[in-house]
Amino acid sequence: MQDLMQDKNPGQDSKNKNNTWSGRFAEPVADLVKRYTASVGFDYKLALFDIQGSLAHAQMLASCDIISSQDLSDIKRGLAQIQNEILGGEFAWSVDFEDVHLNIEKRLTTLVGDAGKRLHTGRSRNDQVATDIRLYLRQAIDDLLGLIRVLQSALLDLAEQHTHTIMPGFTHLQVAQPISFAHHLMAYFEMLRRDTERLRDCRKRVNRLPLGAAALAGTSYPIKREMVAELLGFDGVCENSLDAVSDRDFAIEFTACGALIMTHLSRFSEELILWMSPRFGFIDIADRFCTGSSIMPQKKNPDVPELVRGKTGRVNGHLVALLTLMKGQPLAYNKDNQEDKEPLFDTVETLTQTLRIYADMIAGIQVKPEAMRSAALQGYATATDLADYLVKKGLPFRDAHEVVAVAVRFAEQRSCDLGDISIAELRQLSALIEEDVYQVLSLEGSLASRNHTGGTAPQQVAAAIMRARTSLTK
Ligand code: ARG
């Protein structure tokens, strides 16, 4: 998202005093308090959404004859100029006017006079800010959904090339059973698919209009909330005015979605880091995503995945911050809610940057099939296949498990793989074993046998990739 503040310092203009409510007070607010309570230093990011919301509100006021059509056209002209000033980096934000809403309203009044003062009729900053955040978040969700799709499609491109690339699958980080690299990648596709579903679902609750709730109880003007909702592309209005101005559950929900996305990418990052270490040597990450060491000339460090893992902590922290922010608040609006913005903005920005960089990083991964294969050949990855083979010949599974355990111990003593044990020796362990066992003990045989939906057989994974491609177009 564009940085609307640019180089302007919001604290510069501290001589003007905020006369929005000064009639009620005997002395101006202390300088320290002004800085403590002001939010313009961060909520300026809502400026374009604030203007969008104000335009819709003004249009409704005119249509309901609450303001004149002359007022409406003055407001439109003024807001258009303000938007240009903001986009051009010329708008002078001032901490004296507390937040984005008052900064814009003050400027509007300077530009168009009384019409600017009428804009706030039937509205409060409480329903105004709730509307702005929802507009901001809706846009962020739509952008993030697009970025997840790009990452998913990079995963599919890579997976497509590796349905026959065999690697060890792990449980407890111990070699468990052979799988294809494509199958492993597709696990992350599925996680991202659910992340998408969650964001889409969250969007439904974000996309409701608070305006009209005013400060908390609604307004005595004959407004048309549905009209504003339609102008702003909301699916409907918030049904209860107290709830509309006070709850931020939609922001908490969004951040929970974000924390899960980061958690998934953090797990993936952990694997990329392991796989890139020379002990594994399964992949290489393109140089542009890594850095060297200032002291050890041989080092190439996977900084990007490490930072993704680290930044996950930050987003998880934002989730806890928002939950904590909400938990003790009585109805309706409280100033506490001003603290919702920084965690929310940072969550959106962290997710945006992470997803962008990730898609590019995945596209640049260099896979080393030989290293994966030789790792799969160590650690008796086909032991389960041998047990299943015996079961299919009539041995109860628990007995088969025991026979194979003995076979593994035997192979371990010899420092060889199960497939290297002679047929005569294998038959001493169980007379049910015949020549065809070697097909079962091969990595390819093991993969091919897991031939059902969700299994690692190359044919199944190729079909899953095809289905996934189609799902991305929906
Ligand atoms: N800056 C405030 C916020 O972010 C706007 C709403 C202020 N409302 C109020 N009654 N003080 O929550």
Side-chain angles (χ1 to χ4, degrees), residues 39 43 99 101 125-126 129 333 335 337-338 341:
S39 55
D43 68 13
D99 57 22
H101 323 291
R125 278 185 300 154
N126 297 353
V129 69
Y333 176 86
K335 187 81 167 182
N337 278 345
Q338 182 164 289
K341 285 164 206 67

Side-chain angles (χ1 to χ4, degrees), residues 152-259:
Q152 284 181 302
S153 131
L155 277 172
L156 292 182
D157 292 343
L158 188 60
E160 228 158 37
Q161 303 164 44
H162 294 287
T163 51
H164 291 272
T165 304
I166 299 179
M167 66 180 278
F170 298 91
T171 60
H172 313 273
L173 205 55
Q174 310 288 321
V175 170
Q177 291 171 355
I179 55 170
S180 73
F181 184 52
H183 196 50
H184 197 114
L185 293 173
M186 288 303 287
Y188 286 102
F189 183 94
E190 290 302 318
M191 295 179 222
L192 291 167
R193 189 206 296 272
R194 291 192 298 279
D195 289 330
T196 295
E197 286 173 9
R198 263 185 290 271
L199 277 179
R200 285 187 180 151
D201 197 53
C202 169
R203 190 189 191 280
K204 293 183 206 158
R205 284 173 291 281
V206 168
N207 204 29
R208 298 246 151 213
L209 176 77
L211 273 179
L216 76 163
T219 174
S220 56
Y221 298 96
I223 57 166
K224 280 196 216 135
R225 297 185 68 205
E226 286 71 15
M227 176 184 168
V228 182
E230 204 175 314
L231 286 170
L232 292 174
F234 283 111
D235 296 329
V237 301
C238 299
E239 292 279 345
N240 178 288
S241 63
L242 297 169
D243 177 48
V245 290
S246 63
D247 205 352
R248 297 290 181 264
D249 59 352
F250 62 91
I252 296 173
E253 200 179 328
F254 167 80
T255 309
C257 295

